[in-house]
Amino acid sequence: MTPAHSPESTHTPHSLLKKFWGYDDFLPLQETSVQAILAGQDSLTILPTGGGKSLCYQLPALLMSGTTIVISPLVALMKDQVDTLLGLEISAAYLNSTLNASQQRDTIERFLQGDYRLLYVAPERLEAAGFMDTLREGDVAAFIVDEAHCISQWGHDFRPAYRALQKLKAAFPNKGIHAYTATATPTVQDDICTALSLRNPNRMVGDFTRPNLLYRVQYRSDTLKQVCQVIDRHPNEAGIVYCISRKDVDQLSKSLQGKGHRVLPYHAGLSDQVRATNQAAFSNEQADIIVATVAFGMGIDRSNVRYVIHTAIPKSIEHYQQEAGRAGRDRLPAECILLYSGADVVKWRDIMKQSDTAGSDEIQKLALSKLFEMSNYCQRILCRHRFLVEYFGQPFLKPSCGHCDCCLGEYEVMEGGEVIAQKILSCVFRTRQKFGAQHVAQVLQGADTEKIRQFQHQELSTYGLLSEFDRKNIVRWIEQLVHENFLEKEAEYGSLRLTPTGIQLLKEGGTVSLAQPIVQKASKASKKGKAPVEAMEDWSDEAQALFEALRRLRRQIATEKRVPPYIIFSDVTLKEMVRLRPVNLSDFGELRGVGETKRQELGPRFIELIDGFQAGESGF
Ligand code: ADP
Ligand code: ZN
């Protein structure tokens, strides 16, 4: 153990990175974030999921005297983080409601003695009488606020307990406060700095592109079939399937169980115990798939999730980014598929209206505009990576990402786009610029609805002008025209209006390209059983067998130590073993993710397995 009172003074951040974590280089921004903590300068670090936030504050904790206090809202994650640290022989503990009174007293006592490098605490704890005094009696190195967006009213995950943190700066004016989060628009970032009273903070915003994720949006036609297509591309791999309602979760998980998949449900209607068991089974790799409502995931740290499927749209881009972002935390390729239908928006609007926590008009309005953005994401034919990165206030500099359905050419440009566009614009004009995309599309399609009859839109010259096309395509084109600035959408009800460019196109013509999905191509790709992109590695059967054997050993060790497998080694490290096949401890130590402790403690068992495998021993 490395207790708090003997900082690793002869070490540099770099040497500790190798010694404890087994990495040769820092990931982007990790080093500057570490330096801010060491310099005692307040900071806000925004890095995407998988960006390596925990290391940013765990590493400097080894170089400072005193205990680094980490405030984290996620009880389950605290235990994981502490287990991970203990596995690296870094002294750490947590204080939360899962400990009984005597365990809590013990932990506080050891903190006061300076036994811990890191102490994780729940935000509620800071509200408890006397806890601030306890902190003052001990030796605090710095404060870390994890999931810092929880402090912002404008964030998507506001937590009242985080308000207690507003007093932190006044109570400890000489201690650095360092905030971390994965999701923050510029407004939320400002909010975090103000709420925590950060002094001249060093604000570090990482690159939000997650190049290992492949994003794809599909119109929902047959949920079970579409979900199975994705699952079949990932046999024995981990995935999360999100549904809006509990009922959908129950149904879908039963159907998937019926098809022989190792799948479990997760939602707020299940008992605490069932939820905990199911979550643990997923973490421990006893289940491959979790079908869940949004209630699932905050405490999930399994890093080798290979796909996330949304069977309906989430209520905001922030939610989507966070939920889909649970794929590929290990930075290996993973897929994020979103199935949508216009009905999802209506469903969410109903849920929002009924919710008791609906709040003020202003909050309602914000929620609706976030929902519109989310539906925009689905409707537009625009690089998904670009959309997400720009949403979070960053420029996207590449012309194409190569990792989304739009950039991979899964859509084709329609012939005669200009004429179609003119028909749409003309219909918007004839309906007096008072209606939304669905209604305009229905008029163009020549549908018979009550609303059309009510406004006598069947009399219009544009009625039925695009009857040969599918309504979802017409809606998609309307969204593209909004995106290309030929139309604009009124924020609250989404009614469409022509822009000056739109009027010009209508009168004088011009160039417009409209796209639609290439249906054949997508289904051909799925028949081959592979994503229509490279990405997923093409390994030989022999390599695959070794990987599976290593996974089994990892699971066995995890069971012995009572921790989840990813705490032992990540998939990245196992794959390095398959590639490099180390047969001595010194080569083993060179693998990414193998630090000194793990090399000595776990190296021999993995080497023995690799050696035996190479020699063709039976049992594999
Ligand atoms: P976040 O909390 O930002 O989502 P994590 O702290 O879970 O990210 O780290 C994501 C993954 O990246 C983990 O598997 C971690 O071990 C790995 N990682 C962290 N720092 C480095 C590094 N410097 N080099 C390589 N991998 C790293
Ligand atoms: Zn793209």
Side-chain angles (χ1 to χ4, degrees):
M1 291 271 177
T2 50
H5 39 73
S6 63
E8 303 270 328
S9 51
T10 55
H11 285 90
T12 62
H14 242 104
S15 68
L16 291 178
L17 181 68
K18 182 74 186 162
K19 179 172 180 223
F20 283 90
W21 284 271
Y23 298 130
D24 292 320
D25 300 295
F26 284 107
L27 297 174
L29 288 188
Q30 276 184 328
E31 197 168 8
T32 37
S33 185
V34 166
Q35 292 299 350
I37 298 185
L38 292 176
Q41 190 198 352
D42 289 350
S43 65
L44 168 62
T45 306
I46 323 262
L47 280 174
T49 311
K53 284 183 288 297
S54 19
L55 191 139
C56 295
Y57 54 82
Q58 290 170 348
L59 190 147
L62 297 175
L63 286 164
M64 296 189 289
S65 72
T67 304
T68 298
I69 306 293
V70 184
I71 295 136
S72 162
L74 310 170
V75 172
L77 277 193
M78 279 188 204
K79 180 166 170 8
D80 275 4
Q81 294 249 340
V82 169
D83 283 343
T84 306
L85 289 165
L86 295 178
L88 303 174
E89 300 210 320
I90 296 170
S91 171
Y94 58 84
L95 266 178
N96 63 33
S97 51
T98 64
L99 302 183
N100 63 32
S102 104
Q103 289 169 321
Q104 298 198 14
R105 267 196 309 276
D106 249 30
T107 307
I108 289 175
E109 197 47 45
R110 289 192 57 191
F111 159 69
L112 291 173
Q113 286 166 7
D115 276 356
Y116 302 126
R117 283 307 173 83
L118 295 112
L119 178 65
Y120 286 76
V121 300
E124 290 77 12
R125 178 76 36 173
L126 299 179
E127 291 172 318
F131 189 68
M132 289 287 200
D133 294 333
T134 306
L135 287 177
R136 240 177 250 120
E137 278 169 50
D139 183 7
V140 171
F143 288 99
I144 307 299
V145 181
D146 205 3
E147 309 288 345
H149 60 275
C150 294
I151 204 168
S152 170
Q153 285 262 22
W154 305 116
H156 58 291
D157 192 22
F158 171 66
R159 292 183 181 227
Y162 263 62
R163 284 211 195 102
L165 304 180
Q166 292 177 350
K167 296 184 222 134
L168 208 52
K169 192 78 212 177
F172 294 90
N174 300 322
K175 302 290 177 193
I177 300 183
H178 308 280
Y180 291 83
T181 175
T183 21
T185 56
T187 323
V188 174
Q189 291 171 27
D190 290 342
D191 229 20
I192 294 171
C193 293
T194 317
L196 291 173
S197 310
L198 298 188
R199 230 181 276 145
N200 186 23
N202 187 351
R203 226 195 251 207
M204 291 159 274
V205 184
D207 183 347
F208 265 82
T209 324
R210 296 199 47 200
N212 60 321
L213 300 188
L214 168 64
Y215 293 110
R216 204 175 260 145
V217 178
Q218 288 171 0
Y219 203 80
R220 186 173 64 242
S221 50
D222 180 339
T223 310
L224 183 60
K225 188 167 145 215
Q226 287 169 294
V227 167
C228 285
Q229 276 173 357
V230 182
I231 294 178
D232 290 346
R233 286 203 283 270
H234 300 276
N236 300 321
E237 294 185 324
I240 305 174
V241 184
Y242 283 109
C243 303
I244 298 184
S245 72
R246 298 171 190 182
K247 200 177 92 223
D248 293 346
V249 168
D250 290 334
Q251 269 172 6
L252 186 57
S253 57
K254 280 213 184 77
S255 308
L256 292 174
Q257 274 165 356
K259 288 183 178 286
H261 295 294
R262 299 201 307 164
V263 53
L264 291 170
Y266 188 103
H267 58 66
L270 300 169
S271 70
D272 286 356
Q273 203 208 335
V274 172
R275 269 188 302 170
T277 314
N278 290 0
Q279 171 154 339
F282 183 65
S283 279
N284 297 331
E285 305 198 348
Q286 286 150 355
D288 296 324
I289 306 164
I290 285 275
V291 182
T293 58
V294 292
F296 180 75
M298 275 306 262
I300 201 73
D301 216 7
R302 182 166 175 176
S303 63
N304 59 352
V305 174
R306 295 274 70 88
Y307 59 91
V308 171
I309 307 172
H310 281 78
T311 58
I313 70 170
K315 62 178 166 181
S316 73
I317 302 279
E318 282 89 339
H319 281 92
Y320 186 62
Q321 195 224 21
Q322 195 161 62
E323 288 153 20
R326 297 199 171 105
R329 247 186 129 123
D330 52 13
R331 297 202 307 287
L332 294 170
E335 280 190 75
C336 306
I337 311 275
L338 198 163
L339 306 179
Y340 86 102
S341 139
D344 299 343
V345 175
V346 179
K347 189 161 181 181
W348 273 119
R349 258 198 279 187
D350 288 348
I351 294 175
M352 287 172 184
K353 265 191 221 134
Q354 285 160 16
S355 145
D356 325 325
T357 51
S360 68
D361 277 2
E362 202 179 357
I363 291 189
Q364 279 266 7
K365 226 167 153 180
L366 185 75
L368 275 180
S369 77
K370 283 184 186 279
L371 183 60
F372 269 123
E373 275 296 321
M374 190 63 233
S375 114
N376 251 336
Y377 172 84
C378 304
Q379 312 264 11
R380 285 183 185 174
I381 309 295
L382 167 74
C383 173
R384 314 286 176 196
H385 282 275
R386 171 187 294 278
F387 187 105
L388 294 173
V389 163
E390 288 181 349
Y391 181 84
F392 289 101
Q394 279 189 346
F396 188 82
L397 301 172
K398 287 185 240 158
S400 145
C401 75
H403 280 101
C404 77
D405 49 3
C406 299
C407 295
L408 287 167
E410 293 175 18
Y411 292 89
E412 68 184 343
V413 173
M414 291 291 297
E415 270 177 43
E418 180 189 334
V419 176
I420 295 175
Q422 284 177 327
K423 288 178 178 171
I424 292 172
L425 295 178
S426 160
C427 188
V428 170
F429 185 73
R430 305 252 169 231
T431 50
R432 299 175 180 268
Q433 316 197 74
K434 278 186 184 148
F435 296 87
Q438 289 296 340
H439 182 74
V440 171
Q442 280 166 342
V443 175
L444 281 162
Q445 207 197 5
D448 178 22
T449 71
E450 208 180 303
K451 202 164 164 188
I452 286 179
R453 273 179 266 125
Q454 185 191 344
F455 290 96
Q456 298 187 337
H457 284 164
Q458 74 277 20
E459 308 291 330
L460 296 177
S461 57
T462 51
Y463 183 75
L465 264 188
L466 294 178
S467 58
E468 72 270 39
F469 296 107
D470 224 30
R471 187 164 86 228
K472 62 190 181 208
N473 272 336
I474 305 177
V475 172
R476 202 178 276 129
W477 292 328
I478 293 176
E479 297 298 338
Q480 289 172 45
L481 291 172
V482 172
H483 175 59
E484 304 282 336
N485 198 32
F486 292 109
L487 285 174
E488 62 189 4
K489 222 183 207 183
E490 189 261 339
E492 196 170 352
Y493 298 105
S495 50
L496 299 163
R497 247 192 325 249
L498 275 71
T499 63
T501 348
I503 295 171
Q504 195 181 357
L505 180 73
L506 197 52
K507 286 189 180 149
E508 298 161 29
T511 342
V512 195
S513 51
L514 298 175
Q516 69 174 0
I518 305 177
V519 179
Q520 276 163 329
K521 215 183 201 176
S523 63
K524 227 193 262 161
S526 60
K527 268 201 201 102
K528 272 193 349 207
K530 282 239 169 231
V533 262
E534 72 338 325
M536 316 299 153
E537 285 155 300
D538 269 327
W539 272 7
S540 67
D541 290 350
E542 188 258 6
Q544 198 68 47
L546 176 56
F547 182 63
E548 289 305 326
L550 291 166
R551 270 181 75 178
R552 278 196 298 276
L553 176 58
R554 174 174 69 178
R555 230 174 5 241
Q556 187 186 333
I557 296 174
T559 313
E560 287 162 20
K561 290 178 167 287
R562 295 164 180 264
V563 295
Y566 54 76
I567 285 183
I568 305 298
F569 282 128
S570 74
D571 278 15
V572 177
T573 308
L574 294 194
K575 290 193 169 175
E576 288 246 308
M577 290 184 205
V578 175
R579 206 162 53 83
L580 302 170
R581 319 244 166 151
V583 286
N584 60 54
L585 275 179
S586 114
D587 289 350
F588 194 82
E590 291 305 308
L591 302 176
R592 257 189 298 169
V594 180
E596 198 35 48
T597 307
K598 289 192 174 170
R599 182 176 78 101
Q600 290 185 12
E601 191 196 354
L602 303 173
R605 291 177 74 176
F606 281 90
I607 289 171
E608 189 191 356
L609 186 150
I610 294 166
D611 220 10
F613 185 87
Q614 306 269 68
E617 265 176 24
S618 60
F620 288 112

